[in-house]
């Protein structure tokens, strides 16, 4: 709802594994995956065209959004920037784990890799065109979803994990463990952030088990650092008991850290603004380049040279292998510092 309010001209599509209703998505853009149609895929000689037609029909929202991405990526940068602000496009992959497992079991490897390549291009490059996706899944393993098998693609993803338990007829429902598995993953949460997050997690879990807190926990990597807290109420009512419990937990933790990172309200009820000024684009780039020597060497080499392949860059700077150069380039593309031009060519963003 908020996305539609913010971007009235947005385009939303959904590929679901079950027949769920989603707010704001037109029926013509909402498709339910029908795995039984995979049984109709012909296997004889010369069947590639018919197989392609059926696969495209099964995954129509994905093919539609990918087609929009292909058109937009070839536009001049100023036009891409305008579309990103005025007409963003989002694809929702609902219960993707189940869909991916079916595709993995039934499709030829070349067909599956084509589909995954489309998704990865949307993840890594699509945001520069205002094209992105949301993935709803029960799995915390990105590589088991076919989405990310290296760190460069993970950097292009914002991760959310939610946990809650409740009791129905004396039986415990839900779970809290997935969040713990997620923030223990070094690729998602660094060791320096993990200690504070683990402390908050333990306190919130205890409050939920004691039935003092009735709001789910959420962990997210959105922003500069991973963070954990409670899901905000999605109604106009406020659960004062939940607020008291959360305030009590907050009081036991490092106040300045929570204030700066999580915008915890001050006693008068207003959130404090961060003390630091917002960093400039140049400062952002410099901060990222300081993370790895290979980043700075690549950027130094690319200045004034136009498009280059990872192999050409490797021959020039030599310290790293071509695969290492390619991974670093993809990471820099995820940070929107270089542009992936396709055909294994990269250039410095102007």
């Amino acid at each position: 709802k908020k996305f539609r309010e913010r971007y009235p001209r947005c385009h939303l599509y959904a590929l679901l594994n079950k027949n769920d209703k989603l707010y704001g998505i037109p029926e013509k853009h909402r498709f339910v995956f029908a795995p039984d149609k995979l049984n109709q895929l012909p296997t004889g000689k010369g069947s590639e065209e018919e197989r392609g037609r059926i696969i495209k029909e099964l995954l129509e929202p994905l093919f539609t959004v990918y087609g929009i991405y292909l058109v937009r990526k070839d536009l001049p940068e100023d036009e891409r920037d305008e579309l990103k602000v005025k007409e963003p496009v989002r694809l929702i992959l609902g219960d993707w784990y189940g869909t991916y497992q079916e595709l993995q079991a039934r499709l030829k490897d070349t067909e599956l890799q084509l589909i995954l390549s489309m998704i990865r291009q949307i993840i890594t490059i699509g945001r520069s065109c205002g094209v992105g996706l949301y993935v709803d899944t029960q799995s915390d393993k990105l590589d088991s979803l076919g989405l990310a098998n290296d760190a460069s693609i993970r950097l292009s993803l914002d991760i959310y994990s939610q946990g809650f338990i409740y009791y129905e007829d004396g039986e415990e429902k839900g779970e809290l463990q997935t969040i713990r598995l997620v923030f223990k993953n070094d690729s998602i949460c660094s060791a320096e952030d993990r200690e504070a997050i683990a402390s908050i997690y333990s306190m919130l879990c205890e409050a939920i088990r004691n039935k003092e807190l009735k709001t789910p926990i959420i962990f997210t990597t959105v922003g500069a650092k991973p963070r954990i807290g409670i899901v905000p109420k999605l109604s106009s009512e406020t659960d004062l008991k939940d607020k008291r419990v959360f305030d009590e937990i907050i009081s036991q933790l490092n106040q300045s850290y929570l204030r700066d990172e999580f915008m915890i309200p001050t006693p008068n009820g207003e959130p404090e603004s961060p003390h630091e000024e917002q960093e400039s684009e140049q400062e952002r780039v410099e901060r990222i380049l300081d993370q790895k020597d290979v980043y700075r060497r690549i950027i130094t080499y690319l200045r004034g040279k136009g498009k280059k392949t990872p192999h050409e860059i490797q021959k020039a700077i030599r310290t790293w292998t071509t695969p290492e150069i390619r991974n670093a380039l993809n990471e820099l593309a995820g940070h929107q510092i270089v542009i992936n031009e396709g055909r294994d060519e990269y250039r410095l963003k102007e």
Side-chain angles (χ1 to χ4, degrees):
K1 181 178 180 181
K2 288 296 182 185
F3 191 82
R4 274 214 171 275
E5 288 174 355
R6 187 177 301 165
Y7 306 106
R9 292 167 57 185
C10 67
H11 306 275
L12 300 176
Y13 298 82
L15 174 63
L16 309 175
N17 200 273
K18 56 183 185 291
N19 192 17
D20 293 331
K21 298 290 184 183
L22 296 179
Y23 179 91
I25 298 185
E27 283 295 308
K28 64 180 181 179
H29 291 174
R30 188 180 67 88
F31 285 72
V32 180
F33 179 68
D36 55 296
K37 289 190 177 181
L38 291 171
N39 296 326
Q40 301 173 14
L41 291 172
T43 58
K45 187 176 180 180
S47 61
E48 288 79 6
E49 184 176 342
E50 179 63 12
R51 288 178 66 92
R53 185 192 65 77
I54 293 174
I55 292 170
K56 187 173 182 179
E57 182 181 292
L58 270 172
L59 307 176
E60 185 167 332
L62 171 59
F63 278 82
T64 299
V65 171
Y66 183 70
I68 296 171
Y69 154 75
L70 289 178
V71 171
R72 289 192 177 189
K73 79 179 184 67
D74 290 333
L75 296 173
E77 187 173 0
D78 57 341
E79 291 185 38
R80 296 200 310 266
D81 289 342
E82 184 177 2
L83 285 168
K84 181 165 59 175
V85 174
K86 292 185 176 179
E87 295 187 45
V89 178
R90 295 293 183 270
L91 169 66
I92 297 169
L93 300 176
D95 292 304
W96 173 248
Y97 180 82
T99 303
Y100 175 61
Q101 294 303 310
E102 287 284 353
L103 296 174
Q104 191 176 38
R106 310 283 193 91
L107 297 185
K108 297 177 181 178
D109 186 62
T110 52
E111 295 167 338
L112 180 64
Q113 291 308 314
L114 173 63
I115 292 165
L116 297 182
S117 175
M118 291 163 60
I119 292 174
R120 289 168 184 159
Q121 287 182 66
I122 293 171
I123 290 173
T124 54
I125 311 170
R127 65 172 150 184
S128 66
C129 317
V131 181
L133 55 80
Y134 302 112
V135 182
D136 163 40
T137 176
Q138 299 297 323
S139 174
D140 68 309
K141 305 295 184 186
L142 296 178
D143 49 357
S144 71
L145 300 171
L147 299 175
N149 52 11
D150 58 50
S152 61
I153 296 182
R154 277 194 285 269
L155 287 174
S156 299
L157 292 165
D158 291 328
I159 296 170
Y160 298 84
S161 182
Q162 181 173 302
F164 189 64
I165 56 173
Y166 61 99
Y167 297 89
E168 190 175 278
D169 299 327
E171 183 180 354
E172 185 177 288
K173 305 280 188 179
E175 55 88 26
L176 295 166
Q177 296 305 309
T178 299
I179 289 181
R180 183 176 60 82
L181 294 174
V182 172
F183 71 69
K184 285 182 68 176
N185 186 328
D186 289 332
S187 299
I188 296 173
C189 183
S190 67
E192 61 188 28
D193 294 320
R194 189 173 298 128
E195 183 177 354
I197 286 173
S199 297
I200 303 171
Y201 167 79
S202 297
M203 294 177 185
L204 291 174
C205 285
E206 184 177 356
I208 288 175
R209 290 193 178 98
N210 293 337
K211 301 182 181 179
E212 297 171 312
L213 186 63
K214 298 179 180 178
T215 306
I217 306 172
I218 190 167
F219 169 85
T220 179
T221 61
V222 173
K225 283 191 173 185
R227 23 185 141 177
I228 194 167
I230 58 174
V231 178
K233 290 289 182 181
L234 300 181
S235 69
S236 58
E237 299 177 1
T238 302
D239 190 325
L240 295 178
K241 186 175 180 181
D242 280 359
K243 186 179 185 306
R244 285 197 300 271
V245 171
F246 195 48
D247 287 345
E248 186 178 337
I249 291 170
I250 291 166
S251 69
Q252 301 175 48
L253 301 168
N254 183 301
Q255 292 297 299
S256 63
Y257 173 77
L258 287 172
R259 182 178 63 247
D260 293 342
E261 295 302 327
F262 304 118
M263 298 287 284
I264 298 300
T266 58
N268 64 10
E270 294 297 324
E272 290 191 9
S273 299
H275 298 296
E276 297 82 9
E277 295 182 2
Q278 187 174 359
E279 65 179 354
S280 67
E281 176 62 14
Q282 182 176 352
E283 290 170 335
R284 182 189 75 86
V285 171
E286 288 297 318
R287 172 174 56 78
I288 293 168
L289 296 186
D290 285 340
Q291 294 175 7
K292 294 182 181 181
D293 290 342
V294 66
Y295 288 172
R296 194 169 291 281
R297 291 289 301 278
I298 289 173
I299 297 306
T300 301
Y301 172 76
L302 283 177
R303 287 195 176 103
K305 290 190 170 62
K307 297 184 289 188
K308 294 293 180 181
T309 67
H311 182 63
E312 289 173 323
I313 297 172
Q314 193 278 330
K315 285 175 64 178
I317 63 179
R318 294 186 177 277
T319 310
W320 294 271
T321 65
T322 299
E324 288 172 331
I325 296 291
R326 182 177 288 104
N327 283 338
L329 284 164
N330 286 329
E331 290 169 4
L332 289 168
H335 289 299
Q336 296 185 317
I337 297 174
V338 302
I339 303 295
N340 185 338
E341 293 284 356
R343 300 187 181 87
D344 209 25
E345 293 181 324
Y346 299 79
R347 66 172 173 84
L348 192 63
K349 183 177 179 181
E350 298 176 359

